[in-house]
Amino acid sequence: MGGVNDPLASFAALRTDEGRSLLDAVRDVEPSQELAAATRLRRDHPADLVSAALAQARLRQRAVAKFGAADAARMFFTPNGVEQSTRTSVATYRARRFADPGELGVRSVADLCCGIGGDAIALARAGIAVLAVDRDPLTCAVARANAEALGLADLIEVREADVTDVDTSAYDAVFVDPARRGGRPGGAARSASVRGGGRATGGRIFDPEAYSPPLSWAVEAARKAPRAALKIAPGIPHDAVPEEAEAEWISDGGDVKEAVLWFGTDAPASHRATLLPAGDTLVSPRATMLPDPEVRPVGRFLYEPDGAVIRAHLVAEVAARVEGGLLDETIAYVTSDTAVATPYATAYEITDQLPFNVKKLKALLRERGVGILTVKKRGSAVEPEELRRKVKPQGPGSATVFLTRVRGAPTMLVGHPAA
Ligand SMILES: C[S@@+](CC[C@H](N)C(=O)[O-])C[C@H]1O[C@@H](n2cnc3c(N)ncnc32)[C@H](O)[C@@H]1O
């Protein structure tokens, strides 16, 4: 009984005194030292337990990027759980919106599809009582262990059930983070288009009905609850956003992490782009969103909007703030002659405009002594690495080159980050 063939027993063994001391012993073992550590520890401990401890240590190391070193060292994970969980920065931001009396102001949330508890933990830390539901027994055991390890067991009740069977009527709000099948859940926005969206990264068609549970079920659950939030892939097509919902795209450190559909916020249905870690948030009611900006000649500055702004279709709002227009009607680069500090876009001063021509670029960079070349692109199939190899940058200077289109014409714009 027990051991590798019974994941629940194997996990329970990790939480015994012997399991804990093994976890401490393997905490900082590097991958290259694993074999030696395993051989040594197996002299005094069961082989299955040693393997489980080493696997858990590896998962904890992977989890540091999402949960930070302090929490990751105390928490437990499954491979899927660490992959699918919400990072602390995003979960904390959302939990504050749930808790804030000026926003949703809720005291209790049914977290439907809780996984190993990434969101449940953040909600509890915001002072919210959480019912955390998952149908996978091991995932529930891990979520329970995490609530205990972080001192949140009084606020988090973990229940093993299918979310479609759970009565949530006693809760102020529901939160649903469905499992997304088939590949990596929606990654960073890489779309070149000013109306980026509709396809997840890697060309996968966004299919919310392939979610478990399907998005249509989650929307119905949200509509029945007083307040709700649904976490979805950032590639959700805008026509799949229910008309009463606020759709929020969240980036962290410039990478788009997720979209959230909020229900019951008491505000007009809006689009919102939120940029973590600073928390700047740009919101526009759907009824009064600006039309696409006009296309203009290349000006002194190029503004590269954050991916969350692009996904939220708020490029026009940012263009208005910087008194800018578009370089091309299909590309989310904003051009302007005005320097305006904005958190929603990175500003570059453009010094040169060339038709797409690698030789001319190479000559220009030689003349300027550019050895450090940053290549950015939207609307170009050229691979940045390939371009860098061809132009062989040399010298003490640095520059940024944008490979893009200007009114449809393949163009290279050379510049540097605006001071
Ligand atoms: C994306 S993960 C949730 C991650 C979680 N929010 C976190 O931050 O750790 C989705 C979870 O939904 C669970 N799940 C999928 N369909 C379910 C259903 N019908 N009932 C209960 N749980 C379900 C899966 O077992 C998986 O753990």
Side-chain angles (χ1 to χ4, degrees):
M1 288 295 283
V4 281
N5 296 323
D6 181 348
L8 274 175
S10 174
F11 181 64
L14 276 182
R15 303 190 67 221
T16 60
D17 288 344
E18 187 181 15
R20 280 175 212 279
S21 75
L22 266 174
L23 278 170
D24 281 345
V26 300
R27 197 182 151 143
D28 300 316
V29 170
E30 303 277 337
S32 61
Q33 307 163 344
E34 269 190 19
L35 196 59
T39 309
R40 179 170 43 81
L41 292 166
R42 277 187 194 132
R43 285 184 213 131
D44 301 316
H45 303 280
D48 288 356
L49 190 54
V50 172
S51 303
L54 281 165
Q56 192 56 235
R58 238 177 280 137
L59 293 173
R60 284 177 168 177
Q61 285 162 10
R62 260 168 61 196
V64 169
K66 279 190 175 177
F67 291 92
D71 280 354
R74 290 149 79 198
M75 290 171 68
F76 296 91
F77 301 94
T78 61
N80 279 342
V82 72
E83 191 67 35
Q84 300 188 347
S85 56
T86 307
R87 61 187 47 242
T88 301
S89 54
V90 178
T92 302
Y93 163 75
R94 261 200 272 98
R96 287 193 185 136
R97 280 200 79 183
F98 265 120
D100 185 346
E103 296 240 28
L104 278 76
V106 304
R107 308 300 309 271
S108 63
V109 170
D111 175 2
L112 306 179
C113 295
C114 67
I116 54 93
D119 286 294
I121 290 163
L123 289 164
R125 281 180 169 161
I128 293 171
V130 185
L131 170 68
V133 183
D134 205 287
R135 66 180 172 190
D136 179 60
L138 177 61
T139 301
C140 285
V142 172
R144 227 170 260 128
N146 286 336
E148 283 167 26
L150 300 175
L152 298 167
D154 287 351
L155 280 167
I156 301 177
E157 177 200 339
V158 178
R159 190 181 300 170
E160 184 189 320
D162 191 300
V163 293
T164 59
D165 295 333
V166 175
D167 176 7
T168 60
S169 56
Y171 293 84
D172 295 345
V174 300
F175 171 68
V176 193
D177 178 7
R180 300 171 210 163
R181 297 200 203 101
R184 193 171 159 267
R190 292 277 176 261
S191 169
S193 148
V194 68
R195 289 263 179 255
R199 273 172 192 273
T201 42
R204 259 189 318 122
I205 306 272
F206 179 93
D207 180 7
E209 290 313 293
Y211 281 8
S212 176
L215 184 60
S216 54
W217 180 86
V219 168
E220 281 317 303
R223 284 180 171 149
K224 279 188 226 136
R227 295 165 194 281
L230 313 180
K231 173 178 160 180
I232 45 175
I236 181 174
H238 285 216
D239 57 12
V241 173
E243 60 178 13
E244 75 272 37
E246 177 195 301
E248 177 174 30
W249 281 261
I250 302 174
S251 66
D252 191 5
D255 283 338
V256 184
K257 297 297 180 193
E258 65 176 51
V260 198
L261 303 178
W262 295 95
F263 294 75
T265 61
D266 298 336
S270 300
H271 281 200
R272 183 189 288 270
T274 297
L275 280 55
L276 300 177
D280 294 290
T281 194
L282 182 65
V283 61
S284 180
R286 206 140 49 228
T288 54
M289 275 168 64
L290 298 176
D292 283 350
E294 56 173 17
V295 174
R296 298 201 192 159
V298 179
R300 187 167 158 207
F301 298 100
L302 182 152
Y303 290 86
E304 182 185 29
D306 184 272
V309 168
I310 297 173
R311 288 291 198 187
H313 293 187
L314 294 174
V315 173
E317 279 69 7
V318 171
R321 284 169 181 233
V322 303
E323 300 170 15
L326 295 180
L327 292 172
D328 183 282
E329 63 177 4
T330 63
I331 293 180
Y333 279 145
V334 173
T335 185
S336 165
D337 284 317
T338 315
V340 180
T342 170
Y344 302 111
T346 308
Y348 295 84
E349 187 160 5
I350 298 301
T351 50
D352 302 88
Q353 176 179 355
L354 310 175
F356 190 93
N357 182 318
V358 176
K359 275 193 186 148
K360 282 196 174 142
L361 178 68
K362 190 171 174 174
L364 181 94
L365 297 176
R366 277 283 143 83
E367 192 187 302
R368 307 265 165 88
V370 171
I372 302 163
L373 183 65
T374 304
V375 182
K376 293 188 161 273
K377 62 165 197 161
R378 283 194 191 284
S380 168
V382 174
E383 284 305 323
E385 261 322 303
E386 191 190 324
L387 181 78
R388 216 177 278 116
R389 225 180 26 250
K390 283 186 181 157
V391 300
K392 299 190 186 70
Q394 278 169 30
S398 59
T400 302
V401 61
F402 294 88
L403 311 178
T404 189
R405 292 195 299 267
V406 171
R407 280 191 193 275
T411 302
M412 295 169 148
L413 300 173
V414 181
H416 50 80

